[in-house]
């Protein structure tokens, strides 16, 4: 009898990740893809308007930006995350053009770096190399494994030329309870969500076609996001091309 009672708390803890994923999937079915894109634009504008945000020098050297609003996280001795959002890249050769139409993205998996308790957090990822963008659009990428990732520096005057900026292909940030900070997402995976792209654009279309082949027009729901990015960082100032 004692063994049974001792086992019940453990079973309930193990059920939490499953429940979290089921909740996320239910919300996705009820949610419109367009509202996710609109929410990503609102989140990113709020973050950029904050006094201690993404350094200008870092944003100016990013090829692509991934915004994942309200990612559901949990922690029971290990961390986990389930979230959906968007990714937009600079157009043209070597990502030198204006910010282009978004592709839908999905974040999944677990990491010790996510042991922050059960809550919803906004994530922003900056892709600092063409290789990271190309890899992410063609297959599932494990952060910290397939692509080097690190917590991004915070503060308007911080430089992308720091050690972390020089090494990492992806810089990650989080915003929870009003606090904005760099955070490690190592162990999680990020992939293109092509089923959501079909809902957004009304046709079968691959993420790589949206970014590299200009196969889609900017949807109305993405106008705020792209206008915010174009105003904040109109030119790619990276020298790593």
């Amino acid at each position: 009898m004692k063994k049974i009672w001792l086992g019940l708390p453990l079973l309930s803890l193990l059920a939490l990740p499953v429940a979290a994923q089921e909740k996320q999937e239910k919300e996705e079915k009820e949610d419109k893809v367009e509202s996710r894109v609109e929410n990503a634009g609102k989140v990113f504008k709020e973050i950029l308007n904050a006094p201690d945000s993404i350094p200008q020098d870092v944003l100016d050297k990013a090829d692509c930006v991934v915004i994942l609003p309200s990612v559901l996280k949990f922690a029971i001795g290990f961390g986990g995350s389930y979230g959906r959002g968007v990714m937009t890249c600079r157009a043209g050769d070597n990502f030198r053009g204006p910010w282009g139409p978004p592709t839908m993205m999905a974040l999944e998996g677990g990491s010790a770096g996510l042991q922050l308790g059960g809550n919803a957090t906004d994530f922003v990822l900056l892709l600092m190399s063409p290789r990271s963008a190309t890899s992410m659009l063609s297959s599932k990428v494990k952060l910290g494994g397939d692509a080097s990732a690190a917590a991004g520096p915070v503060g308007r005057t911080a430089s992308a030329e720091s050690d972390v900026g020089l090494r990492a292909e992806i810089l990650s940030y989080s915003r929870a309870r009003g606090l904005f900070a760099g955070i490690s997402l190592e162990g999680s995976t990020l992939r293109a969500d092509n089923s959501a792209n079909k809902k957004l654009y009304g046709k079968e279309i691959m993420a790589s076609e949206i970014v590299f082949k200009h196969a889609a027009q900017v949807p109305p729901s993405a106008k705020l996001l792209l206008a915010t990015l174009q105003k904040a960082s109109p030119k790619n100032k990276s020298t790593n091309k």
Side-chain angles (χ1 to χ4, degrees), residues 3 10 12 14 53 59 62 69 86 93 122 170 210 215 220 226 236:
K3 290 182 179 180
L10 179 59
S12 64
L14 292 175
S53 184
L59 182 60
V86 303
D93 295 336
D122 302 320
I170 300 173
I210 296 171
L226 298 189
N236 190 338

Side-chain angles (χ1 to χ4, degrees), residues 67-126:
I67 303 100
L68 301 153
S70 299
V71 172
L72 186 64
K73 302 184 286 130
F74 54 86
I76 53 172
F78 62 92
S81 59
Y82 296 95
R84 299 293 183 270
V86 303
M87 169 177 161
T88 178
C89 298
R90 301 180 195 266
D93 295 336
N94 294 324
F95 301 95
R96 292 296 182 181
W99 295 94
T103 178
M104 306 304 292
M105 302 297 292
L107 177 76
E108 299 158 340
S111 166
L114 292 174
Q115 295 183 37
L116 303 179
N119 62 0
T121 300
D122 302 320
F123 285 137
V124 174
L125 286 75
L126 303 184

Side-chain angles (χ1 to χ4, degrees), residues 8-241:
L8 287 176
L10 179 59
L11 289 174
S12 64
L13 287 175
L14 292 175
L16 284 176
V18 177
Q21 186 173 17
E22 289 177 350
K23 182 177 184 293
Q24 179 73 31
E25 291 172 351
K26 181 181 179 181
E27 289 175 351
E28 286 174 11
K29 290 178 181 178
E30 296 173 350
D31 186 27
K32 292 183 179 180
V33 174
E34 289 84 356
S35 66
R36 267 185 270 163
V37 180
E38 290 174 354
N39 194 24
K42 293 176 182 177
V43 165
F44 196 67
K45 185 175 183 179
E46 289 173 0
I47 287 174
L48 289 187
N49 287 338
D52 201 20
S53 184
I54 299 172
Q56 185 67 49
D57 184 49
V58 175
L59 182 60
D60 285 342
K61 294 179 179 179
D63 295 330
C64 305
V65 175
V66 179
I67 303 100
L68 301 153
S70 299
V71 172
L72 186 64
K73 302 184 286 130
F74 54 86
I76 53 172
F78 62 92
S81 59
Y82 296 95
R84 299 293 183 270
V86 303
M87 169 177 161
T88 178
C89 298
R90 301 180 195 266
D93 295 336
N94 294 324
F95 301 95
R96 292 296 182 181
W99 295 94
T103 178
M104 306 304 292
M105 302 297 292
L107 177 76
E108 299 158 340
S111 166
L114 292 174
Q115 295 183 37
L116 303 179
N119 62 0
T121 300
D122 302 320
F123 285 137
V124 174
L125 286 75
L126 303 184
L127 278 58
M128 308 303 291
S129 73
R131 192 184 83 88
S132 61
T134 302
S135 300
M136 199 167 293
L137 293 173
S138 59
S139 62
K140 181 183 293 187
V141 170
K142 185 175 182 179
L143 303 181
D146 302 318
S148 58
V154 175
R156 295 292 185 187
T157 60
S159 173
E161 299 304 327
S162 62
D163 290 341
V164 63
L166 289 172
R167 291 197 307 268
E169 295 177 280
I170 300 173
L171 300 179
S172 52
Y173 296 88
S174 70
R175 185 183 67 164
R177 301 186 185 94
L179 178 64
F180 184 74
I183 188 173
S184 173
L185 285 174
E186 288 192 5
S188 297
T189 59
L190 196 62
R191 62 174 175 81
D193 188 351
N194 288 313
S195 61
N197 280 333
K198 182 179 179 180
K199 294 179 182 178
L200 180 63
Y201 293 106
K203 61 181 179 179
E204 294 280 357
I205 186 168
M206 303 297 289
S208 57
E209 295 175 327
I210 296 171
V211 174
F212 297 124
K213 297 182 179 180
H214 317 293
Q217 298 296 316
V218 175
S221 56
K223 288 184 177 180
L224 174 61
L225 174 60
L226 298 189
T228 300
L229 273 166
Q230 196 61 32
K231 181 180 179 180
S233 181
K235 294 183 179 181
N236 190 338
K237 298 182 180 181
S238 173
T239 59
N240 299 324
K241 301 290 185 289

